[in-house]
């Protein structure tokens, strides 16, 4: 077989069909009407302006996480620690907000400082994974996984300890911030915050431009594809890896900050909402191409939001979205694998 | 067991690694398999031990045609292979390593097996504690363990690939005694080596391969000169070489000791001067690559120092990038693994190597640069060709085109390996052009003709030993071949003592 655009598309369409088929099977096994389930997912994601804005609210942190991961994937790193980096972003943001909420400063200034604090938190946590890898010989997957647990523990401890609600600590998180310190919400919507939408869109465009158009991006690609040869060509390897950890940390920290300032308005135990892991799936699905990240992330966000209604209407668990997302990624990667084998055989 | 191969042919792409090889080894024989690197020895042994399947040809054991599916199948049929790097499991205990590969039975009968292990070890006078860990053993002991394991699994043919590299002299003597004892009991031994001395003292017969073909078989007494002739081909008439114009020192290696994974080099002393070409000869794995990479800061010496330039700037312990800034370039032999980046285009390589300034990539300027280099170095490819789509010769040209100006020292591993004549001549033309401008070149090659034709001086490596620089104009192919095979080294020392 030859490597053509046509058969690549064919394999991708095939992967989507297979993923739908597997999900249908799962639904049958659960005793549900597959088409009803799909219908309610579509309605749940696109049925009204309100649910559409909910999709966008979910899209922002997912796209931010994906943007960061595209940078680490480009340099050949599996930054699974992004969950912890999002959490630390949220923790630092909450810390800054708590520090400044009674200062009487301009709310916009406080929000900007809080976002910067979140970026700082995410970056530091990412650099920690980088230092462990570069100087400690700890693979970034293991280091990141360990740091994720530490971040969750730290978060829980803060919520149930130093930052607990007056009176009794609660799983529902810290005390919500004053409305004046919420990220401004668009008129006619209950949750959509235009400022964060702009950040996510600018972010992915910046990542795309950086990877495809700058000398720095090319160096990252070189290190990612062949670190040995890159070194022989005179490209510093660990320094570029650290830089991409830091950039991913910026995006992850910002995602965490958005979760606190624009979505929950407080720190909750599962503040990262799994957007880091979901971002890994999006990055895998688009084959690390920044140009496709935004629409695929939007699709994943729509699946997440669309399936929220399933437990109420069809008595199905909302994790159905996860089944569909997971099988989709698996089949696309399987398709790529089979295609690569066929192409190799053909030559 | 009698081993016979008939018309074995195996191709890798366009390369015929084995070309219609036929021979018979009777049982109770120790057969030496000789040949230079790339002669096809390892391929043939891997076919016999089930790693590869031949494209055509048959294998006969005791006169019966057999099919060998994989290494496990090979040992079931009685063929055991001892690899150059022992294929064992360093984190395991000796006895567990020994048990691996035994078929059948869910629970190993450890106690009984330990008894059998000890009995077997005693027969050959090996002393290995079955409860110790494999990674505490020396290379020689790990070899002994592998031999015991293969015997226990029922090997009646033993293949040994370069077994005397990296083991001590007493261990080598013990190994040879063991092999002789085994052969006397009817074992067939195929002993792959490039060390003439080992083959001469151990083997009942020697078969020589060259460029994938069987060139001859010899029985003792062995005629070293004839063996060298068979291994390396006829002596080529040499063109008279002009006295090189040599300038000041570019690199000074002072009493350098190096330690690699399997090799140690002691006390290399070398002054490389501007404009000269130094060839590093020797069988692969004799320490040349280690030495060459240390010259570029890619490996660090345990003793001694590397200095650059006339002012003897001490660079010991510095990184390759610091050597690079001072005009040293390193060209690895594994082009697609270590030198080029598959997935990136030629243009992207030129951009990276050039270290262009600015933030956004200047597409127009970089494409112009690529076009210029492509035509200057006669590369068959377009600026947007991915490097992996180029042929080997064009990849090598691209590597040369990636080198910056000016350079003081170029270190090249196998500059023309796998290339056709046209590319070879072209590559050396470009390298010599650099020399004319005062760049020094140090290169590794396993091709004796290449070493003699292009070098001004030659260093021969053998099992970690290094000759003093030899004048290429007075060096014959035969002498070089003998040195590479480990002969005449004592004479070299007495010569040096008299000089």
């Amino acid at each position: 077989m030859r490597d053509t655009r046509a058969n690549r598309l064919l394999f991708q369409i095939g992967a989507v069909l297979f993923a739908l088929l597997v999900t249908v099977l799962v639904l049958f096994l659960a005793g549900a009407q597959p088409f009803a389930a799909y219908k309610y997912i579509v309605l749940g994601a696109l049925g009204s302006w309100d649910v559409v804005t909910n999709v966008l609210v979910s899209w922002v942190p997912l796209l931010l996480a994906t943007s960061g991961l595209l940078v680490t994937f480009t340099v050949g790193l599996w930054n699974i620690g992004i969950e912890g980096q999002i959490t630390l972003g949220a923790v630092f943001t909450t810390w800054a907000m708590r520090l400044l909420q009674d200062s009487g400063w301009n709310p916009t200034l406080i929000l900007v400082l809080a976002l910067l604090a979140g970026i700082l938190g995410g970056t530091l946590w990412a650099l920690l994974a980088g230092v462990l890898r570069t100087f400690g010989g700890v693979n970034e997957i293991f280091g990141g996984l360990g740091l994720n647990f530490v971040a969750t523990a730290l978060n829980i401890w803060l919520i149930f300890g130093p930052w607990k609600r007056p009176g009794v600590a609660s799983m529902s998180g810290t005390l919500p911030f004053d409305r004046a310190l919420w990220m401004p919400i668009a008129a006619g919507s209950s949750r959509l915050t235009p400022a964060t939408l702009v950040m996510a869109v600018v972010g992915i465009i910046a990542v795309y431009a950086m990877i495809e158009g700058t000398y720095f991006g090319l160096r990252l690609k070189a290190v990612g594809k062949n670190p040995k040869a890159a070194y022989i060509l005179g490209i510093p390897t660990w320094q570029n890896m650290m830089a991409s950890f830091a950039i991913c940390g910026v995006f992850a920290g910002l995602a965490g900050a958005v979760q606190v300032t624009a979505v929950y308005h407080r720190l909750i135990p599962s503040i990262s909402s799994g957007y880091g892991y979901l971002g890994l799936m999006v990055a895998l699905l688009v084959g690390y191409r920044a140009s496709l990240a935004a629409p695929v992330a939007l699709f994943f966000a729509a699946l997440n939001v669309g399936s929220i209604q399933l437990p109420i209407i069809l008595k199905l668990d909302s994790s159905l979205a996860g089944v569909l997302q997971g099988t989709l990624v698996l089949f696309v990667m399987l398709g790529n694998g089979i295609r690569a084998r066929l192409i190799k055989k053909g030559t | 067991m009698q081993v016979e191969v008939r018309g074995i042919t195996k191709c890798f792409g366009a390369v015929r690694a084995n070309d219609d090889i036929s021979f018979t080894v009777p049982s109770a024989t120790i057969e030496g398999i000789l040949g230079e690197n790339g002669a096809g020895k390892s391929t043939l042994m891997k076919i016999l031990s089930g790693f590869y399947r031949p494209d055509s040809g048959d294998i006969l054991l005791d006169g019966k045609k057999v099919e060998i599916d994989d290494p496990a199948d090979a040992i079931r049929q009685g063929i055991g292979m001892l690899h150059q790097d022992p294929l064992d499991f360093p984190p395991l205990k000796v006895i567990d390593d020994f048990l691996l590969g035994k078929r059948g039975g869910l629970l190993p009968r450890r106690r009984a097996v330990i008894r059998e292990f000890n009995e077997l070890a005693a027969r050959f006078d090996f002393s290995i504690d079955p409860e110790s860990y494999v990674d505490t053993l020396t290379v020689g002991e790990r070899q002994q363990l592998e031999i015991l394991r293969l015997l226990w699994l029922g090997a009646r043919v033993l293949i040994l690939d370069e077994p005397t590299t990296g083991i001590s002299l007493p261990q080598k003597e013990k190994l040879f005694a063991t092999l002789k004892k085994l052969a006397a009991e009817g074992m067939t031994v195929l002993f792959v080596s490039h060390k003439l001395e080992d083959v001469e003292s151990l083997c009942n017969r020697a078969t020589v391969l060259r460029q994938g073909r069987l060139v001859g078989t010899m029985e003792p007494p062995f005629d070293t000169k004839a063996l060298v002739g068979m291994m390396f081909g006829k002596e080529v008439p040499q063109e008279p070489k002009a006295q090189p114009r040599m300038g000041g020192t570019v690199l000074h290696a002072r009493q350098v000791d190096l330690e690699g994974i399997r090799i140690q080099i002691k006390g290399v002393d070398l002054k490389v001067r501007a404009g000269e070409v130094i060839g590093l000869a020797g069988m692969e794995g004799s320490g040349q690559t280690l030495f060459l990479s240390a010259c570029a800061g890619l490996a660090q010496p345990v003793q001694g120092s590397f200095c650059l330039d006339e002012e003897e700037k001490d660079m010991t312990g510095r990184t390759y990038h610091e050597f690079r800034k001072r005009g040293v370039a390193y060209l690895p032999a594994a082009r697609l693994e270590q030198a080029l980046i598959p997935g990136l285009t030629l243009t992207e390589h030129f951009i990276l190597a050039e270290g262009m300034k600015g933030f956004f990539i200047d597409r127009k300027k970089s494409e112009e640069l690529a076009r210029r280099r492509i035509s200057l170095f006669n590369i068959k490819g377009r600026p947007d060709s991915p490097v992996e789509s180029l042929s080997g010769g064009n990849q090598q040209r691209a590597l040369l085109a990636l080198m910056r100006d000016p350079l003081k020292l170029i270190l090249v591993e196998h500059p023309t390996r796998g290339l056709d004549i046209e590319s070879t001549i072209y590559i050396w033309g470009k390298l010599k052009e650099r020399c004319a401008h005062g760049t020094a070149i140090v290169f590794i090659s396993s091709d004796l003709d290449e070493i003699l034709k292009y070098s001004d001086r030659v260093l021969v490596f053998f099992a970690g030993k290094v000759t003093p620089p030899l004048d290429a104009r007075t060096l014959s192919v035969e002498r070089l071949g003998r040195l590479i095979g480990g002969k005449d080294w004592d004479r070299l020392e007495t010569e040096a003592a008299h000089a």
Side-chain angles (χ1 to χ4, degrees):
Chain A
M1 196 173 86
R2 292 247 304 271
D3 185 4
T4 61
R5 195 169 288 215
N7 66 36
R8 181 180 308 155
L9 191 70
L10 204 71
F11 266 84
Q12 271 158 1
I13 292 169
V16 174
L17 288 178
F18 267 107
L20 286 174
L21 194 72
V22 168
T23 320
V24 165
L25 281 176
V26 170
L27 285 168
F28 266 125
L29 286 176
Q33 281 283 330
F35 296 102
Y38 284 138
K39 189 182 97 185
Y40 286 115
I41 289 180
V42 173
L43 283 179
L46 304 169
S48 68
W49 171 239
D50 198 46
V51 292
V52 170
T53 59
N54 280 345
V55 170
L56 291 176
V57 167
S58 175
W59 184 52
V60 167
L62 179 58
L63 187 57
L64 285 171
T66 309
S67 306
L69 287 166
L70 287 170
V71 180
T72 40
F73 272 125
T74 301
V75 81
L77 292 168
W78 256 84
N79 184 19
I80 207 167
I82 186 160
E83 281 282 317
Q85 290 148 25
I86 296 173
T87 305
L88 260 284
V91 166
F92 270 56
T93 301
T94 311
W95 167 71
M97 300 266 286
R98 290 175 65 88
L99 212 62
L100 299 173
Q101 61 185 347
D102 300 320
S103 64
W105 291 4
N106 181 328
T108 312
L109 178 65
I110 294 179
L111 279 174
V112 169
L113 288 174
L115 289 181
L116 289 177
I119 288 174
L120 180 71
T123 311
L124 287 178
W125 213 242
L127 283 176
L128 196 52
V131 167
L132 281 173
R133 176 181 161 115
T134 310
F135 303 107
V138 182
N139 183 296
E140 77 276 5
I141 296 180
F142 305 134
L145 209 53
L147 287 173
N148 284 352
F149 279 100
V150 177
T152 308
L154 176 71
N155 188 28
I156 301 269
W157 172 70
L158 286 170
I159 291 169
F160 286 88
W163 294 351
K164 71 176 180 212
R165 293 181 182 216
V168 64
S170 160
M171 271 310 271
S172 58
T174 58
L175 204 62
F177 295 112
D178 190 79
R179 264 212 99 107
L181 291 176
W182 291 18
M183 196 70 84
I185 293 167
S189 145
S190 56
R191 296 171 69 207
L192 186 65
T193 50
T196 62
L197 209 55
V198 171
M199 286 176 216
V201 172
V202 170
I204 186 68
I205 292 173
V207 164
Y208 176 80
M210 191 194 82
I211 294 176
E212 298 303 328
T214 67
Y215 293 116
F216 174 65
L218 183 59
R219 285 198 287 272
L220 291 187
K221 271 191 208 167
V223 173
K225 286 174 191 291
N226 191 343
K228 269 189 194 155
Y231 185 76
I232 291 285
L233 281 175
I235 302 163
T237 41
W238 69 263
Q239 293 91 330
N240 276 312
M241 288 190 181
M242 284 300 242
S244 53
F245 264 122
I247 293 172
C248 187
V250 166
F251 279 98
L254 192 56
V258 165
Q259 289 284 82
V260 170
T261 55
V263 182
Y264 294 104
H265 312 294
R266 62 184 191 276
L267 192 62
I268 61 166
S270 58
I271 191 72
S272 75
S273 308
Y275 284 127
Y277 292 133
L278 206 57
L280 281 168
M281 291 223 279
V282 174
L284 288 175
L285 193 59
V286 300
Y288 319 140
R289 285 186 303 265
S291 52
L292 293 175
V296 173
L298 187 64
F299 175 61
F300 271 42
L303 281 178
N304 267 9
V305 172
S307 59
I308 289 174
Q309 293 296 318
L310 290 180
I312 302 158
I313 308 171
L314 291 176
K315 302 269 179 290
L316 278 170
D317 197 83
S318 63
S319 59
L320 183 67
V323 174
L324 190 54
Q325 289 159 347
T327 45
L328 193 59
V329 173
L330 276 179
F331 278 112
V332 166
M333 299 198 72
L334 187 65
N336 288 345
I338 292 172
R339 217 175 132 255
R341 281 187 91 138
L342 290 176
I343 289 169
K344 207 175 155 194
K345 242 185 208 164
T347 53
Chain B
M1 187 153 61
Q2 176 184 303
V3 180
E4 184 179 353
V5 295
R6 278 192 199 153
I8 295 282
T9 298
K10 174 80 184 171
C11 300
F12 297 102
V15 182
R16 290 177 98 79
N18 280 175
D19 190 359
D20 194 21
I21 293 179
S22 305
F23 63 83
T24 308
V25 185
S27 55
T29 307
I30 305 179
E31 175 95 16
I33 311 281
L34 278 166
E36 59 178 329
N37 292 318
K41 299 170 298 195
S42 290
T43 305
L44 185 61
M45 295 307 123
K46 282 183 174 166
I47 287 172
L48 275 173
S49 58
F51 275 87
Y52 296 148
R53 308 203 103 206
D55 296 339
S56 62
D58 297 320
I59 300 168
L60 293 89
L61 298 178
D62 281 338
K64 249 191 14 233
K65 199 175 157 237
V66 294
E67 294 283 327
I68 300 170
D69 295 327
D70 52 50
D73 191 37
I75 187 72
R76 276 196 294 281
Q77 307 203 32
I79 301 179
M81 175 146 174
L82 187 72
H83 289 263
Q84 190 168 4
D85 290 297
L87 278 185
D88 53 15
F89 298 81
L92 292 186
K93 278 187 178 176
V94 165
I95 190 68
D96 294 322
D97 184 280
F98 185 71
L99 270 166
L100 282 170
K102 182 78 176 171
R103 282 158 67 91
L106 190 59
L107 300 168
R109 303 163 297 121
R110 282 175 62 103
R111 199 172 304 164
V113 173
I114 288 177
R115 206 173 52 235
E116 288 176 43
F117 175 88
N118 285 332
E119 281 167 13
L120 204 56
R123 244 180 77 200
F124 298 103
D125 198 20
F126 294 163
S127 54
I128 304 173
D129 176 7
E131 294 291 345
S132 62
Y133 283 87
V134 174
D135 58 5
T136 62
L137 305 182
T138 62
V139 177
E141 285 171 327
R142 287 167 65 181
Q143 228 171 38
Q144 295 172 353
L145 169 62
E146 273 296 282
I147 292 176
L148 291 179
R149 196 176 70 83
L150 293 171
L151 292 178
W152 188 62
L153 290 174
R156 285 179 294 149
V157 178
L158 213 50
I159 302 173
L160 300 98
D161 190 5
E162 303 282 358
T164 58
T165 313
I167 64 173
S168 65
L169 192 63
Q171 279 173 337
K172 181 168 124 178
E173 279 162 5
K174 194 173 259 185
L175 173 72
F176 282 13
T178 307
L179 292 177
K180 281 180 176 161
K181 190 167 175 183
L182 284 169
E185 291 169 7
M187 175 78 74
T188 310
V189 178
L190 298 176
F191 185 86
V192 179
S193 184
H194 64 261
K195 292 180 188 160
L196 297 169
E197 199 181 314
D198 290 353
V199 171
E200 286 169 12
S201 66
L202 176 72
C203 298
N204 310 120
R205 278 197 343 182
T207 291
V208 182
L209 301 184
R210 191 174 73 236
Q211 292 172 348
R213 290 171 163 276
L214 193 147
V215 285
T217 296
M218 192 183 279
E219 296 196 358
F222 295 110
D223 174 356
T224 309
K225 191 172 175 186
L227 279 179
V228 171
M230 284 200 271
M231 279 169 75
F232 298 107
K234 291 194 301 274
E235 190 149 347
V236 256
Q238 280 188 60
E239 299 150 38
K241 239 182 283 187
Q243 176 78 32
R245 296 182 299 121
M246 284 194 279
T249 311
V250 287
L251 174 82
H252 189 181
R254 288 178 174 180
Q255 290 303 319
V256 171
D257 287 4
L258 294 162
E259 270 177 26
I261 298 164
R262 292 167 52 84
I263 200 100
Q264 288 186 353
I265 305 176
K266 284 211 182 300
V268 189
D269 216 66
L270 176 68
K271 249 188 191 174
V272 183
R273 280 161 304 182
E276 76 167 331
V277 181
I278 295 182
L280 308 182
M283 284 291 163
E284 222 150 294
S286 302
Q288 314 91 303
T289 315
L290 183 61
F291 178 69
L292 197 71
S293 50
C295 289
L298 289 161
Q300 296 302 337
V302 284
Q303 275 294 324
S305 61
F306 283 99
C307 302
L308 283 181
D309 302 339
E310 201 68 343
E311 75 253 33
E312 298 263 329
K313 162 89 181 150
D314 190 354
M315 296 292 284
T316 320
R318 303 296 186 90
T319 64
Y320 169 63
H321 285 177
E322 285 170 276
F323 277 78
R324 200 172 171 272
K325 276 197 199 100
R326 292 187 154 261
V328 178
Y330 194 87
L331 273 63
R335 288 183 284 264
L336 281 184
E337 288 77 33
Q338 290 174 15
L340 297 169
I341 301 160
L344 295 191
T345 65
L346 275 174
T347 305
E348 286 172 321
H349 277 82
F350 289 121
I351 295 172
L352 289 168
E354 207 66 9
M356 301 246 266
K357 295 272 180 295
F359 187 70
F360 285 103
I361 295 173
D362 187 338
R363 297 271 168 211
K364 223 172 121 192
K365 205 172 119 197
S366 20
E367 210 185 291
E368 245 167 56
L369 168 78
R371 281 194 193 289
R372 219 167 38 237
R373 294 286 174 84
I374 285 171
S375 74
L376 192 62
F377 283 83
N378 209 3
I379 301 167
K380 286 187 190 72
R382 293 194 316 272
D384 62 349
S385 307
V387 285
E388 68 271 24
S389 72
L390 305 178
S391 71
N394 284 304
Q395 285 172 9
Q396 193 72 343
R397 286 170 200 233
L399 265 186
L400 290 184
L402 284 170
M403 289 193 303
R404 298 182 313 170
D405 282 308
L407 284 174
K408 287 187 186 133
L409 176 62
I410 303 176
L411 306 162
V412 204
E413 296 175 17
H414 304 282
T416 62
R417 181 197 272 171
L419 303 191
D420 55 28
I421 303 283
E422 190 214 335
S423 290
T424 303
I425 293 170
Y426 185 86
I427 299 284
W428 272 108
K430 282 284 172 196
L431 287 172
K432 285 282 185 183
E433 223 169 76
R434 292 263 185 177
C435 290
H437 291 102
T439 305
I441 293 175
V442 182
F443 76 102
I444 298 175
S445 178
S446 33
D447 181 342
L448 298 197
D449 294 341
E450 184 172 37
I451 292 270
L452 288 174
K453 192 164 174 194
Y454 297 109
S455 317
D456 299 313
R457 294 192 290 165
V458 178
L459 261 60
V460 184
F461 287 68
F462 176 77
K465 285 190 290 184
V466 186
T467 63
L470 308 167
D471 190 335
R473 285 171 301 169
T474 57
L475 196 61
S476 66
V477 174
E478 197 209 331
R479 173 133 193 260
L480 188 54
R482 288 173 68 90
L483 283 170
I484 290 172
K487 294 265 173 185
D488 301 347
W489 280 72
D490 32 3
R491 207 167 78 198
L492 203 70
E493 272 150 35
T494 47
E495 269 174 27
H498 287 121

